[in-house]
Amino acid sequence: MSSARIELQPAWLLSQKPYRETSELLEVLTPQHGRVGLVARGLRGPRAKQRGVVSLFRPLLLSWLDKGELGTVTAVEAGGPEVQLVGERLFHGWYLNELLLKLLIRHDPHPGLWDDYTLALAGLGGDAVEAEAALRVFEKRLLELLGYGLPLEDTIDPEAHFRFRAGSGFLQCESEADGALAGSSLLALHRESLSNPAELDDARRLMRAALEPHVPRASLRTPGLLRQLKALRTEA
């Protein structure tokens, strides 16, 4: 089997798992190679030099030997400062990673996804509205890149209300109808200009319904963990 050496490719770490005694299995997102699975030897243990470099939400520069389904890391460097996510924002970052792990197959690059992810992480560092808007815009762009884009158009009547049904798109309805979404909210999502609680709530409900056929919410761990955190805070 032929192999190729990849040198200093920008990468975001999506997940890492222990492998054998001192190694780890990494899943990373790269701009040119898409999602890549890698074995990083000697990454754990007291003598591991790169132990603190490889971490979530820190841009990396990775070199690896590409051979088969899993490549072998040959060098790793920090590509910039870590994006600082705390509290609920940390869960939001984990959610982005979980979406990518569920929806992307290895070695299938999607132009623009690297930039979309980078922008989403930056948005999570903003205020509450900016953070939630960043999540919704990322979800929308991800579905578009995978060929499941929503029929959001400037022709949507901002004064009307709509229901969304996967496979059918948007159907106009009364504002009091169950699941009704304001046309103005749909336009705000289309234009990526979500700016108030009503728009964000509509966008959240829409994206949850749009993602469900492709990645059932019950299969995601992060939303449940966040609910548990909020419940503990309420009890306290």
Side-chain angles (χ1 to χ4, degrees):
M1 180 181 294
S2 62
S3 60
R5 289 190 177 275
I6 311 299
E7 299 292 341
L8 296 178
Q9 173 77 185
W12 288 105
L13 178 66
L14 300 178
S15 72
Q16 58 188 133
K17 298 178 181 179
Y19 179 65
R20 295 181 177 174
E21 293 185 1
T22 62
S23 301
E24 289 193 347
L25 294 176
L26 311 180
E27 292 288 341
V28 301
L29 177 67
T30 71
Q32 295 181 17
H33 302 270
R35 174 188 165 191
V36 179
L38 300 171
V39 177
R41 305 189 187 282
L43 201 59
R44 293 183 296 122
R47 297 183 180 180
K49 297 181 180 180
Q50 305 295 343
R51 186 176 184 179
V53 175
V54 179
S55 62
L56 296 174
F57 315 126
R58 169 177 288 161
L60 302 172
L61 294 173
L62 289 176
S63 299
W64 70 89
L65 184 64
D66 190 15
K67 186 176 182 179
E69 186 65 16
L70 290 174
T72 301
V73 174
T74 57
V76 56
E77 301 176 13
E82 181 179 352
V83 179
Q84 297 296 323
L85 300 178
V86 297
E88 291 187 13
R89 308 296 175 83
L90 182 59
F91 285 81
H92 293 159
W94 291 342
Y95 169 71
L96 296 183
N97 289 1
E98 195 171 10
L99 276 184
L100 293 176
L101 290 168
K102 292 283 187 180
L103 289 171
L104 298 182
I105 62 175
R106 288 174 177 160
H107 309 292
D108 184 20
H110 294 276
L113 184 55
W114 166 269
D115 291 333
D116 291 342
Y117 180 83
T118 301
L119 287 173
L121 288 185
L124 293 183
D127 61 30
V129 171
E130 292 171 338
E132 189 168 353
L135 289 176
R136 305 291 84 85
V137 169
F138 181 80
E139 291 170 333
K140 178 182 77 76
R141 290 188 180 185
L142 179 58
L143 286 180
E144 290 171 351
L145 288 169
L146 296 177
Y148 307 123
L150 297 172
L152 296 167
E153 302 171 349
D154 283 322
T155 55
I156 289 176
D157 183 355
E159 302 299 325
H161 287 76
F162 301 84
R163 282 175 173 165
F164 173 78
R165 293 292 181 269
S168 301
F170 296 104
L171 302 174
Q172 192 165 339
C173 65
E174 298 297 325
S175 60
E176 298 83 7
D178 184 41
L181 305 165
S184 56
S185 297
L186 300 181
L187 286 174
L189 178 60
H190 173 58
R191 297 167 184 171
E192 301 182 358
S193 60
L194 299 166
S195 61
N196 63 62
E199 292 175 351
L200 290 169
D201 181 65
D202 281 349
R204 177 185 56 79
R205 292 188 291 115
L206 169 60
M207 296 313 306
R208 181 174 295 184
L211 283 164
E212 185 65 23
H214 311 292
V215 53
R217 195 163 182 82
S219 70
L220 296 170
R221 295 183 64 249
T222 309
L225 292 174
L226 182 55
R227 286 194 299 272
Q228 292 176 21
L229 174 65
K230 291 181 176 179
L232 289 173
R233 287 178 174 176
T234 301
E235 294 175 0

